[in-house]
Amino acid sequence: MTSKKITFLFVLLLSTLHSFSQEKFTLSGTISDANSNETVIGVNVLIPELKTGVTTNEYGFYSITVPKGIYKVQITYLSFQTVEETIDLNKNTKKNFKLSSTENVLQEIVINSNDSKTENRKPEMSVNKLSVSTIKKMPVVLGEVDIIKSILLLPGVTNAGEAASGFNVRGGGADQNLILMDEANIFNSSHVFGFFSIFNPDAIKDLKLYKGGIPARYGGRASSVLDIYQKDGNSNKFHMNGGIGLITSRLLAEGPIVKDKGSFLIAGRASYAHLFLKFKEDLKDDAAYFYDLNAKLSYKLNANNNLYMSGYFGRDVFQLSKAFTNIYGNTTFNTRWNHLFSDKLFSNLSLIYSDYYYGLDLDFVGFEWRSGIKNFNIKYDFRSYVSDKLKLNYGVNGIYYDFNPGTIRPSSPDSGINFDQLEKKYAFEPAIYINAEQKVTEKIDINYGLRYSLFYNVGTSTVNLYENNNPVLFNSQFQIYEKATPIGTKYYNKNEVVKSFDYLEPRLSVNYQLNDNQSFQVSYNRMVQYLQLISNTSSPTPLDVWTPSGTYIKPQIADQVAIGYFRKFKEGAYSAEVSSFYKEVQNRLDYIDGANLIANEAIEQVILNGQLRSYGLEFMFKKNEGNLTGWISYTLSKSEQKTPGRTAGETGINNGQWYNTVYDKVNNLAVTGSYYLNPKWTFGANFIYQTGQPTTYPNGQYEYLGMTIPIYGLRNENRLPSFNHLDIAATLTPKHDANKSWRGEWVFSIYNVYNRKNAASVGFRENVDTGANEAVKTSIFGIVPAISYNFKF
């Protein structure tokens, strides 16, 4: 059966379910914060008599269809007062709710909210959500709140080490994570080479991490989805808030354009530690800093239409004595239109632009380097609330990519460097999807969907031709891989298809509820990744180059299954969850020994397609209520890759055997907690332990022309020392003067309390006295105290 027929039958099945649904009355509307009119994501709208409910979508909209009757409706959400209202549902009714906060503006007491009665009913598996207030209470390095660092405390999530950029989910690579901010693709999520993330916590409204059971509306990556939404802005009254730290400061302003209809938000953040270098003569021309800007406009056109425009601009600058200057960063812009066709049909149309730029000026050599990736995305999503037992999501999107692998140009007329443009690449990735969330019985809820994705690698481009279509040769005499010599080229005109792909991506999650406190869940999803990251480092770096799948580079195809158990204790005061997963990824690239990846126009000559597999067990225990809140998470997992020979005569990489990936962390333990002592003092602590990162050490040496040359062993058969640190923080909130609008708090923190010298890397050098190779450990941080002041008025 063809993919088109399968898609048709799937849509027909869901249409049949829709047509046989019983006509009932619908309660719908939006839920917002009473103080700011900011819509709230994920609010529980419950009808206890029917044991049913729904949650608000990304724009605060809800819709629930139930039989005619008089019902008590409950509205519950973390840190807000519960609202109960009796509604006589004898016709389709629109009802907006406003929630009042239960806490002071800068004071967060509860960490998580697994206390809603429908939490363990949702057919969502391997999904974690953190409140920004929780994240702000976590002790972090140098006192800078960091969203990416906070998700490392969740089970199944690690990184490449201290101050490393990116994150790894369930044994996958950092490039396999789809990172979205207001639906725009983010290709590099770090500032200062990984010390900080690009996400300003003051501007963030909501974030959710999907590790498995990924809904069909997401695609393009093989491992996970981190979905982040910015705040809309306060349409009720003007506010400002920010913070001053030892290294960075930030400021946010928000307020109404038209009261209760339109709002604006603008937030800026910058580091300034480099200014202290000016006081030292030999460092006064050096710099290392970042800055970013978040902006958003929101406007309610009428009861059925809302318009949003949001953007982000960020840059990092690294300079050494004006001879070396590195500038890189992200730019995004998004225009979204929400339209309500009816009380059961919600839509969102988005036009999105994203640009990752990398620039390098080498004045001492005499040239400038520019590279990056741009994409233009149009997507139209629909959400149909068919009944209280069936909800449909469906939509289409198309992304056009513009890849610039590198532009070299002279920095001065007499530099002797010629202008050179590495051949640009272009691609188009359209997709269509449909997803259903269905309550099958009182105990079984399922979430199932299908995504049909296509990918076109298009011209203008020139493709090398090789004998037997093989760009990588195997030298049987020396048992090594070598680059093949092209026998010709083929030119493709603008927008002419070079290579195309299409895949069906099924998704399924099933929740079986034993009772109000216990449930079992199982999930399966297939994800296809058409973009490949050309890098041989363990974490994303600014110089990473993205390239499309094409004639010699196949898409990555990931299949993941997971099973889990969830339980609440003492009416939600405590909760525990355990899950197990297995994931396989086809066509995961690896590089032959001695591969040159930068400025390589024939990258196909140094890469081979392999297979990645990862599997593990995740555990999480939470304390959700009381003065002491927090969680313990532990993951036992394995991540391996195999790149076997293509014929019987080839040995493959690592003799064709499984070998550790660079992001294999067998043991991963995280403990985090917050203790509310009184209205003035709150304390927090984090502890992290991870198995050391795999690496390859030399296992021998030989002499050549008076030099000692190391001999390296099998790939990633060694490990760095284990990684661990303990961090603590204390938050002082002075008594608020009721006659003043100013509120503030002091945050004192210590990163790495016991001064652990974690190994960021281990290098090898020749000992000048003995002539032997010796290991040299590089550590980035010891103990780091910090202080910051946060304010709001």
Side-chain angles (χ1 to χ4, degrees), residues 280-293:
K280 190 171 178 58
E281 183 65 26
D282 57 342
L283 298 177
K284 67 178 182 179
D285 293 328
D286 296 347
Y289 63 92
F290 72 86
Y291 58 91
D292 51 30
L293 178 71

Side-chain angles (χ1 to χ4, degrees), residues 191 198 290-293 312-316 328-332:
H191 278 311
I198 69 168
F290 72 86
Y291 58 91
D292 51 30
L293 178 71
Y312 169 85
F313 179 82
R315 286 294 184 266
D316 280 74
Y328 67 93
N330 297 273
T331 303
T332 69

Side-chain angles (χ1 to χ4, degrees), residues 519-776:
S519 65
F520 284 101
Q521 295 174 323
V522 62
S523 70
Y524 163 78
N525 62 253
R526 164 166 283 199
M527 303 282 285
V528 179
Q529 180 169 336
Y530 298 102
L531 304 189
Q532 313 294 339
L533 181 63
I534 305 302
S535 172
N536 58 1
T537 62
S538 56
S539 68
T541 63
L543 192 52
D544 290 334
V545 178
W546 292 83
T547 192
S549 297
T551 305
Y552 304 108
I553 299 177
K554 300 178 181 179
Q556 299 181 57
I557 306 170
D559 293 283
Q560 181 181 218
V561 294
I563 185 170
Y565 171 74
F566 173 83
R567 179 165 183 172
K568 295 188 296 185
F569 305 89
K570 295 186 176 181
E571 298 182 348
Y574 301 87
S575 62
E577 53 189 291
V578 60
S579 60
S580 180
F581 68 90
Y582 180 84
K583 177 167 58 180
E584 282 190 353
V585 181
Q586 304 173 45
N587 304 323
R588 179 64 174 169
L589 296 181
D590 209 342
Y591 310 101
I592 66 174
D593 294 333
N596 178 26
L597 305 179
I598 305 302
N600 187 345
E601 290 204 83
I603 195 70
E604 71 274 3
Q605 296 177 346
V606 295
I607 58 176
L608 293 170
N609 287 312
Q611 178 185 357
L612 182 148
R613 71 180 181 189
S614 60
Y615 46 92
L617 182 68
E618 299 172 352
F619 173 80
M620 192 171 192
F621 178 80
K622 298 180 183 178
K623 186 177 186 297
N624 303 305
E625 299 176 359
N627 289 349
L628 175 64
T629 54
W631 67 80
I632 300 172
S633 72
Y634 173 72
T635 307
L636 177 67
S637 64
K638 191 68 183 171
S639 177
E640 303 173 303
Q641 180 152 342
K642 181 168 69 172
T643 312
R646 298 162 297 184
T647 65
E650 294 185 17
T651 58
I653 296 177
N654 208 65
N655 296 323
Q657 302 300 311
W658 290 101
Y659 54 93
N660 297 325
T661 66
V662 291
Y663 23 85
D664 174 52
K665 304 291 181 69
V666 178
N667 295 287
N668 178 25
L669 172 68
V671 183
T672 184
S674 178
Y675 181 72
Y676 175 79
L677 179 64
N678 54 47
K680 291 184 64 175
W681 286 101
T682 301
F683 300 92
N686 297 333
F687 174 76
I688 292 179
Y689 172 88
Q690 294 179 4
T691 299
Q693 178 184 332
T695 188
T696 306
Y697 292 158
N699 57 10
Q701 61 187 42
Y702 64 92
E703 298 290 332
Y704 180 74
L705 298 179
M707 297 184 297
T708 302
I709 310 299
I711 302 173
Y712 287 87
L714 296 176
R715 189 167 297 194
N716 294 338
E717 68 175 346
N718 307 109
R719 289 186 183 272
L720 297 179
S722 63
F723 172 87
N724 61 87
H725 61 84
L726 172 66
D727 318 319
I728 60 175
T731 301
L732 170 63
T733 306
K735 185 177 180 180
H736 173 60
D737 187 341
N739 297 320
K740 296 181 180 180
S741 61
W742 184 278
R743 297 173 182 266
E745 66 179 17
W746 292 92
V747 181
F748 309 91
S749 64
I750 300 177
Y751 178 88
N752 196 8
V753 171
Y754 50 81
N755 199 28
R756 165 79 175 183
K757 301 294 185 181
N758 287 301
S761 65
V762 173
F764 294 85
R765 67 186 180 191
E766 182 179 348
N767 187 290
V768 295
D769 297 322
T770 65
N773 284 310
E774 61 182 7
V776 180

Side-chain angles (χ1 to χ4, degrees), residues 28-261:
S28 64
T30 58
I31 299 178
S32 57
D33 185 332
N35 180 58
S36 65
N37 290 329
E38 180 100 22
T39 58
V40 187
I41 303 173
V43 177
N44 298 296
V45 181
L46 311 174
I47 302 179
E49 296 99 312
L50 301 178
K51 294 184 178 180
T52 189
V54 69
T55 59
T56 56
N57 69 5
E58 294 82 0
Y59 301 94
F61 177 78
Y62 76 94
S63 177
I64 185 168
T65 302
V66 294
K68 176 181 178 181
I70 300 175
Y71 301 108
K72 180 182 291 184
V73 179
Q74 293 181 348
I75 313 297
T76 65
Y77 190 68
L78 168 69
S79 302
F80 287 90
Q81 295 178 2
T82 297
V83 174
E84 290 190 358
E85 185 169 332
T86 300
I87 295 178
D88 185 359
L89 197 61
N90 54 22
K91 62 180 180 179
N92 292 336
T93 303
K94 285 188 177 182
K95 178 67 177 178
N96 298 330
F97 292 94
K98 291 186 180 295
L99 302 182
S100 299
S101 175
T102 59
E103 303 168 3
N104 292 329
V105 176
L106 289 174
Q107 188 65 49
E108 176 69 49
I109 300 175
V110 180
I111 280 189
N112 211 331
S113 62
N114 268 331
D115 56 350
S116 73
K117 298 302 182 182
T118 61
E119 182 71 24
N120 60 330
R121 283 211 61 105
K122 296 178 67 175
E124 261 185 355
M125 186 178 182
S126 307
V127 178
N128 293 109
K129 181 178 179 180
L130 289 177
S131 73
V132 175
S133 297
T134 297
I135 294 170
K136 287 183 176 182
K137 295 302 177 183
M138 295 179 178
V140 291
V141 64
L142 301 173
E144 178 65 19
V145 174
D146 196 307
I147 285 176
I148 296 297
K149 297 296 188 293
S150 68
I151 66 175
L152 299 177
L153 297 167
L154 299 173
V157 185
T158 63
N159 69 350
E162 205 158 36
S165 60
F167 57 97
N168 307 106
V169 176
R170 289 184 167 177
D175 62 300
Q176 295 178 324
N177 303 315
L178 177 64
I179 303 176
L180 302 172
M181 183 162 62
D182 276 356
E183 303 184 80
N185 276 294
I186 301 296
F187 287 95
N188 190 310
S189 61
S190 69
H191 278 311
V192 197
F193 307 105
F195 281 82
F196 309 108
S197 77
I198 69 168
F199 305 109
N200 183 342
D202 288 344
I204 300 304
K205 176 180 181 177
D206 184 85
L207 67 138
K208 187 178 287 188
L209 176 67
Y210 296 86
K211 299 179 296 184
I214 299 172
R217 67 179 181 274
Y218 299 109
R221 296 295 186 275
S223 190
S224 74
V225 178
L226 178 60
D227 199 3
I228 298 174
Y229 281 86
Q230 297 186 102
K231 292 179 179 178
D232 297 334
N234 193 322
S235 65
N236 188 28
K237 53 187 175 181
F238 178 79
H239 277 294
M240 295 187 71
N241 65 275
I244 302 172
L246 297 178
I247 291 182
T248 66
S249 288
R250 62 191 192 277
L251 184 66
L252 178 145
E254 59 180 335
I257 300 173
V258 177
K259 188 175 175 62
D260 296 331
K261 291 190 67 175

